[in-house]
Amino acid sequence: MVGHPERQSHRRISPLDPGASRTSPGAPGPPPEPPAAPSPGPPGTRAEQEARGTPGEGPTPPSHLQLEVTSACNLRCRMCLVRYRPPVNRIRGAMPLELFHRLLDALPGLRLLTLQGLGEPLLSPHLLPMIAEAKRRGVRTGFTTNATLLTPERSARLVELGVDWVRVSLDGATAETYEGIRDGGSFAAVAANIRSLWAAKKAAGSPLPWTRVVFVAMRRNMEELADTVRLLAGWGVDEIRVQNLAHTFEDAGGAYAGIRDFTEAESLWRGGDRIRSARAFAEAAAVAEEYGVRLRLPDLSGRRSPRAPGEPGCGWPWDAVYVTSEGVVQPCCMVMGDDRATLGDLRSQSFAEIWEGAAYREFRRRLMGDDPPEVCRGCALYRGTF
């Protein structure tokens, strides 16, 4: 996400504000982007509330909800768990509308809704009705897409609905590199679809959806980062964000061997890779300055300042919640895999029962100390390298 060679602080991590940032110095002022998660008040306020609470109590219900609207995907990206699991049918993988409405009803203070998970949101038959309902309730809403299905007609409809943001995944400046990573994707189609979204915004005279391109940095594509920035400078995007691979999967079992091996082979957090990446980041930053592009780069050092007293290592379990398409509740979107860090199941429990339950309380308690849950230890967000 953000940073450059500077160290990210070990302050509380927010779902949409994962650490210190650095923007290319030549970029214009920030565009109207999605808000960060609401401030939790003085450091440790929610954590102290949780620590003092009696059994059955929990922190204030979250104002940010992330829903996996579908577990189906049309690509088999090399760094995604979808590639290493059996394919999921488009209809079977969709989150039911009934569950969606039940969650929104359970969270009347909801301010921010992210409609994405492991699957491709545009495959969900319910995506547009979900966006319309969230906007009707005054909730800021957006999603990440691989953009292969982001046709001009869909772009026009998203602009019409007033969706607040769309993030597009693009990990290379050439078809060979991009298609080698996003297996099943078409570089030419995605490029055209990004430009068609820009055209739809211009035709409607709308700044929304705010558009970010996400570039997942790996050994195989780092040399194309600067050229990717050059390309995107003319495609109407509001920001380019470079991020690292999300997780080491060191805590996971044999079912995760494939994605764990890929991460080990492609991650950039080793000494030699950091030097090479720093050069690539510096070149990309220079191009961004030249073209006036807003660019955010990750920190590879992994060095984080000590936590302040009463401050957790990550704010997700206080500020937000992640729900899979089947209704499994997990602490955050970084977990990948509904058989890891399961905190409850909405098919048999209410949201309040899960949010205030023993599993969530124990997860939060461990994040307050120096012995975090196993699933957090390999997380790039927790480690400050995302």
Side-chain angles (χ1 to χ4, degrees):
M1 284 190 179
V2 200
H4 188 48
E6 290 140 354
R7 187 171 71 182
Q8 285 187 310
S9 69
H10 200 156
R11 64 181 174 81
R12 181 182 202 152
I13 303 168
S14 245
L16 287 180
D17 182 22
S21 65
R22 177 171 176 176
T23 302
S24 172
E33 61 176 289
S39 170
T45 297
R46 288 191 178 179
E48 289 166 2
Q49 173 190 347
E50 173 74 9
R52 292 194 304 265
T54 56
E57 293 180 354
T60 305
S63 59
H64 176 204
L65 176 62
Q66 180 163 344
L67 301 180
E68 182 185 51
V69 293
T70 181
S71 55
C73 193
N74 59 332
L75 301 186
R76 308 287 284 178
C77 303
R78 295 187 180 276
M79 63 290 206
C80 181
L81 188 61
V82 168
R83 182 181 183 87
Y84 306 93
R85 295 285 176 88
V88 177
N89 178 274
R90 177 176 181 266
I91 302 302
R92 181 175 172 272
M95 173 177 280
L97 274 175
E98 178 276 329
L99 175 58
F100 172 81
H101 286 284
R102 179 151 52 95
L103 277 164
L104 264 59
D105 290 342
L107 295 170
L110 189 66
R111 293 176 53 191
L112 198 64
L113 178 63
T114 302
L115 298 173
Q116 70 196 55
L118 286 179
E120 166 51 45
L122 290 172
L123 278 176
S124 169
H126 309 309
L127 178 65
L128 296 184
M130 287 175 172
I131 292 171
E133 177 60 18
K135 297 299 295 180
R136 186 187 71 80
R137 296 182 186 224
V139 179
R140 300 196 69 178
T141 305
F143 61 95
T144 297
T145 174
N146 60 40
T148 58
L149 305 175
L150 189 63
T151 61
E153 295 75 21
R154 285 197 175 101
S155 287
R157 181 62 176 145
L158 291 172
V159 173
E160 181 184 353
L161 285 171
V163 68
D164 292 282
W165 75 91
V166 170
R167 302 180 186 123
V168 176
S169 301
L170 187 76
D171 318 290
T174 65
E176 180 181 7
T177 297
Y178 168 82
E179 292 168 11
I181 294 169
R182 302 275 173 183
D183 190 4
S186 164
F187 180 82
V190 170
N193 290 343
I194 294 172
R195 293 192 295 265
S196 74
L197 178 59
W198 183 29
K201 290 165 61 174
K202 288 195 296 183
S206 174
L208 300 178
W210 182 85
T211 308
R212 169 189 293 161
V213 166
V214 177
F215 181 106
V216 180
M218 295 171 275
R219 288 178 171 180
R220 66 179 61 200
N221 65 355
M222 280 306 302
E223 304 303 330
E224 293 192 12
L225 177 57
D227 286 339
T228 303
V229 174
R230 287 189 184 92
L231 277 179
L232 292 169
W235 292 2
V237 301
D238 295 301
E239 182 188 59
I240 303 165
R241 175 167 291 197
V242 182
Q243 66 186 45
N244 275 311
L245 293 168
H247 211 288
T248 65
F249 297 96
E250 291 171 356
D251 65 295
Y256 291 81
I259 193 168
R260 185 167 54 242
D261 290 347
F262 179 85
T263 301
E264 175 69 19
E266 289 289 339
S267 60
L268 299 174
W269 41 68
R270 299 170 183 80
D273 291 311
R274 289 176 185 171
I275 296 171
R276 174 175 167 240
S277 299
R279 288 196 296 265
F281 288 175
E283 183 184 0
V287 173
E289 182 175 9
E290 177 186 354
Y291 286 90
V293 174
R294 182 173 167 83
L295 173 69
R296 303 182 80 174
L297 298 163
D299 181 13
L300 294 172
S301 71
R303 298 189 304 270
R304 303 175 70 190
S305 302
R307 289 182 289 111
E311 187 174 339
C314 175
W316 255 96
W318 284 266
D319 300 330
V321 65
Y322 178 83
V323 182
T324 73
S325 60
E326 293 189 335
V328 174
V329 176
Q330 297 186 289
C332 73
C333 67
M334 303 289 282
V335 170
M336 250 195 275
D338 59 10
D339 56 346
R340 303 169 72 210
T342 297
L343 300 177
D345 193 327
L346 290 162
R347 290 170 292 191
S348 58
Q349 299 169 277
S350 71
F351 180 80
E353 287 173 334
I354 297 170
W355 184 251
E356 299 169 3
Y360 243 124
R361 292 173 63 82
E362 174 63 10
F363 201 92
R364 295 183 189 111
R365 184 194 68 78
R366 292 187 67 179
L367 277 172
M368 291 299 297
D370 297 323
D371 180 33
E374 287 74 10
V375 74
C376 298
R377 297 175 189 181
C379 171
L381 189 57
Y382 182 84
R383 291 158 49 145
T385 58
F386 194 53

PDB file of all heavy atoms in Angstrom, residues 23-30 238 285 288-295:
ATOM      1  N   THR A  23       3.276   9.516  -0.989  1.00  0.00           N
ATOM      2  CA  THR A  23       2.734   9.745  -2.311  1.00  0.00           C
ATOM      3  C   THR A  23       3.806  10.386  -3.164  1.00  0.00           C
ATOM      4  O   THR A  23       4.606  11.175  -2.673  1.00  0.00           O
ATOM      5  CB  THR A  23       1.512  10.682  -2.224  1.00  0.00           C
ATOM      6  OG1 THR A  23       0.549  10.088  -1.368  1.00  0.00           O
ATOM      7  CG2 THR A  23       0.893  10.907  -3.584  1.00  0.00           C
ATOM      8  N   SER A  24       3.818  10.043  -4.433  1.00  0.00           N
ATOM      9  CA  SER A  24       4.790  10.642  -5.336  1.00  0.00           C
ATOM     10  C   SER A  24       4.750  12.158  -5.207  1.00  0.00           C
ATOM     11  O   SER A  24       3.690  12.772  -5.253  1.00  0.00           O
ATOM     12  CB  SER A  24       4.461  10.240  -6.771  1.00  0.00           C
ATOM     13  OG  SER A  24       5.271  10.946  -7.672  1.00  0.00           O
ATOM     14  N   PRO A  25       5.902  12.828  -5.000  1.00  0.00           N
ATOM     15  CA  PRO A  25       5.920  14.256  -4.726  1.00  0.00           C
ATOM     16  C   PRO A  25       5.361  15.108  -5.838  1.00  0.00           C
ATOM     17  O   PRO A  25       4.935  16.229  -5.601  1.00  0.00           O
ATOM     18  CB  PRO A  25       7.410  14.557  -4.479  1.00  0.00           C
ATOM     19  CG  PRO A  25       8.146  13.425  -5.121  1.00  0.00           C
ATOM     20  CD  PRO A  25       7.256  12.239  -5.003  1.00  0.00           C
ATOM     21  N   GLY A  26       5.318  14.596  -7.061  1.00  0.00           N
ATOM     22  CA  GLY A  26       4.799  15.397  -8.154  1.00  0.00           C
ATOM     23  C   GLY A  26       3.327  15.219  -8.395  1.00  0.00           C
ATOM     24  O   GLY A  26       2.770  15.822  -9.299  1.00  0.00           O
ATOM     25  N   ALA A  27       2.682  14.383  -7.592  1.00  0.00           N
ATOM     26  CA  ALA A  27       1.274  14.106  -7.831  1.00  0.00           C
ATOM     27  C   ALA A  27       0.415  15.266  -7.379  1.00  0.00           C
ATOM     28  O   ALA A  27       0.770  16.021  -6.493  1.00  0.00           O
ATOM     29  CB  ALA A  27       0.867  12.839  -7.070  1.00  0.00           C
ATOM     30  N   PRO A  28      -0.757  15.446  -8.001  1.00  0.00           N
ATOM     31  CA  PRO A  28      -1.669  16.486  -7.557  1.00  0.00           C
ATOM     32  C   PRO A  28      -2.249  16.125  -6.204  1.00  0.00           C
ATOM     33  O   PRO A  28      -2.038  15.042  -5.677  1.00  0.00           O
ATOM     34  CB  PRO A  28      -2.755  16.477  -8.640  1.00  0.00           C
ATOM     35  CG  PRO A  28      -2.716  15.092  -9.189  1.00  0.00           C
ATOM     36  CD  PRO A  28      -1.271  14.679  -9.119  1.00  0.00           C
ATOM     37  N   GLY A  29      -3.022  17.046  -5.638  1.00  0.00           N
ATOM     38  CA  GLY A  29      -3.662  16.792  -4.351  1.00  0.00           C
ATOM     39  C   GLY A  29      -4.544  15.574  -4.401  1.00  0.00           C
ATOM     40  O   GLY A  29      -4.981  15.144  -5.463  1.00  0.00           O
ATOM     41  N   PRO A  30      -4.831  15.000  -3.238  1.00  0.00           N
ATOM     42  CA  PRO A  30      -5.612  13.762  -3.190  1.00  0.00           C
ATOM     43  C   PRO A  30      -6.987  13.928  -3.811  1.00  0.00           C
ATOM     44  O   PRO A  30      -7.660  14.925  -3.580  1.00  0.00           O
ATOM     45  CB  PRO A  30      -5.723  13.480  -1.683  1.00  0.00           C
ATOM     46  CG  PRO A  30      -4.610  14.248  -1.055  1.00  0.00           C
ATOM     47  CD  PRO A  30      -4.417  15.445  -1.919  1.00  0.00           C
ATOM     48  N   ASP A 238      -7.314   7.538 -10.740  1.00  0.00           N
ATOM     49  CA  ASP A 238      -7.044   8.532  -9.704  1.00  0.00           C
ATOM     50  C   ASP A 238      -5.797   8.211  -8.890  1.00  0.00           C
ATOM     51  O   ASP A 238      -5.192   9.107  -8.308  1.00  0.00           O
ATOM     52  CB  ASP A 238      -8.245   8.637  -8.751  1.00  0.00           C
ATOM     53  CG  ASP A 238      -9.481   9.172  -9.457  1.00  0.00           C
ATOM     54  OD1 ASP A 238      -9.405  10.287  -9.994  1.00  0.00           O
ATOM     55  OD2 ASP A 238     -10.512   8.468  -9.482  1.00  0.00           O
ATOM     56  N   ALA A 285       8.521   6.136  -8.958  1.00  0.00           N
ATOM     57  CA  ALA A 285       8.199   7.417  -8.333  1.00  0.00           C
ATOM     58  C   ALA A 285       8.617   8.589  -9.222  1.00  0.00           C
ATOM     59  O   ALA A 285       7.905   9.600  -9.317  1.00  0.00           O
ATOM     60  CB  ALA A 285       8.871   7.518  -6.965  1.00  0.00           C
ATOM     61  N   ALA A 288       6.049   8.823 -11.956  1.00  0.00           N
ATOM     62  CA  ALA A 288       4.814   9.388 -11.421  1.00  0.00           C
ATOM     63  C   ALA A 288       4.931  10.888 -11.251  1.00  0.00           C
ATOM     64  O   ALA A 288       3.986  11.642 -11.551  1.00  0.00           O
ATOM     65  CB  ALA A 288       4.488   8.722 -10.086  1.00  0.00           C
ATOM     66  N   GLU A 289       6.075  11.344 -10.786  1.00  0.00           N
ATOM     67  CA  GLU A 289       6.282  12.783 -10.636  1.00  0.00           C
ATOM     68  C   GLU A 289       6.261  13.473 -11.996  1.00  0.00           C
ATOM     69  O   GLU A 289       5.656  14.538 -12.158  1.00  0.00           O
ATOM     70  CB  GLU A 289       7.605  13.047  -9.924  1.00  0.00           C
ATOM     71  CG  GLU A 289       7.869  14.537  -9.684  1.00  0.00           C
ATOM     72  CD  GLU A 289       9.126  14.772  -8.862  1.00  0.00           C
ATOM     73  OE1 GLU A 289       9.866  13.802  -8.624  1.00  0.00           O
ATOM     74  OE2 GLU A 289       9.367  15.925  -8.484  1.00  0.00           O
ATOM     75  N   GLU A 290       6.892  12.844 -12.960  1.00  0.00           N
ATOM     76  CA  GLU A 290       6.939  13.427 -14.307  1.00  0.00           C
ATOM     77  C   GLU A 290       5.539  13.584 -14.898  1.00  0.00           C
ATOM     78  O   GLU A 290       5.217  14.606 -15.514  1.00  0.00           O
ATOM     79  CB  GLU A 290       7.805  12.557 -15.217  1.00  0.00           C
ATOM     80  CG  GLU A 290       7.866  13.030 -16.668  1.00  0.00           C
ATOM     81  CD  GLU A 290       8.620  12.058 -17.557  1.00  0.00           C
ATOM     82  OE1 GLU A 290       9.189  11.074 -17.048  1.00  0.00           O
ATOM     83  OE2 GLU A 290       8.641  12.291 -18.795  1.00  0.00           O
ATOM     84  N   TYR A 291       4.686  12.572 -14.696  1.00  0.00           N
ATOM     85  CA  TYR A 291       3.363  12.576 -15.305  1.00  0.00           C
ATOM     86  C   TYR A 291       2.263  13.109 -14.377  1.00  0.00           C
ATOM     87  O   TYR A 291       1.109  13.196 -14.789  1.00  0.00           O
ATOM     88  CB  TYR A 291       2.998  11.166 -15.754  1.00  0.00           C
ATOM     89  CG  TYR A 291       3.734  10.704 -16.987  1.00  0.00           C
ATOM     90  CD1 TYR A 291       4.945  10.034 -16.893  1.00  0.00           C
ATOM     91  CD2 TYR A 291       3.215  10.943 -18.267  1.00  0.00           C
ATOM     92  CE1 TYR A 291       5.627   9.613 -18.018  1.00  0.00           C
ATOM     93  CE2 TYR A 291       3.891  10.515 -19.400  1.00  0.00           C
ATOM     94  CZ  TYR A 291       5.099   9.854 -19.268  1.00  0.00           C
ATOM     95  OH  TYR A 291       5.776   9.435 -20.395  1.00  0.00           O
ATOM     96  N   GLY A 292       2.618  13.470 -13.160  1.00  0.00           N
ATOM     97  CA  GLY A 292       1.622  13.963 -12.232  1.00  0.00           C
ATOM     98  C   GLY A 292       0.646  12.900 -11.763  1.00  0.00           C
ATOM     99  O   GLY A 292      -0.552  13.160 -11.597  1.00  0.00           O
ATOM    100  N   VAL A 293       1.147  11.687 -11.545  1.00  0.00           N
ATOM    101  CA  VAL A 293       0.309  10.560 -11.133  1.00  0.00           C
ATOM    102  C   VAL A 293       0.444  10.340  -9.633  1.00  0.00           C
ATOM    103  O   VAL A 293       1.560  10.374  -9.090  1.00  0.00           O
ATOM    104  CB  VAL A 293       0.728   9.278 -11.882  1.00  0.00           C
ATOM    105  CG1 VAL A 293      -0.035   8.069 -11.368  1.00  0.00           C
ATOM    106  CG2 VAL A 293       0.497   9.445 -13.379  1.00  0.00           C
ATOM    107  N   ARG A 294      -0.659  10.087  -8.982  1.00  0.00           N
ATOM    108  CA  ARG A 294      -0.649   9.757  -7.555  1.00  0.00           C
ATOM    109  C   ARG A 294      -0.247   8.288  -7.410  1.00  0.00           C
ATOM    110  O   ARG A 294      -0.955   7.392  -7.866  1.00  0.00           O
ATOM    111  CB  ARG A 294      -2.030  10.017  -6.964  1.00  0.00           C
ATOM    112  CG  ARG A 294      -2.160   9.766  -5.465  1.00  0.00           C
ATOM    113  CD  ARG A 294      -3.549  10.236  -5.006  1.00  0.00           C
ATOM    114  NE  ARG A 294      -3.886   9.767  -3.681  1.00  0.00           N
ATOM    115  CZ  ARG A 294      -3.507  10.337  -2.551  1.00  0.00           C
ATOM    116  NH1 ARG A 294      -2.728  11.403  -2.593  1.00  0.00           N
ATOM    117  NH2 ARG A 294      -3.892   9.851  -1.374  1.00  0.00           N
ATOM    118  N   LEU A 295       0.893   8.059  -6.748  1.00  0.00           N
ATOM    119  CA  LEU A 295       1.444   6.714  -6.611  1.00  0.00           C
ATOM    120  C   LEU A 295       1.760   6.435  -5.160  1.00  0.00           C
ATOM    121  O   LEU A 295       2.362   7.264  -4.479  1.00  0.00           O
ATOM    122  CB  LEU A 295       2.727   6.594  -7.446  1.00  0.00           C
ATOM    123  CG  LEU A 295       3.541   5.310  -7.294  1.00  0.00           C
ATOM    124  CD1 LEU A 295       2.789   4.113  -7.887  1.00  0.00           C
ATOM    125  CD2 LEU A 295       4.918   5.464  -7.944  1.00  0.00           C
TER     126      LEU A 295
END
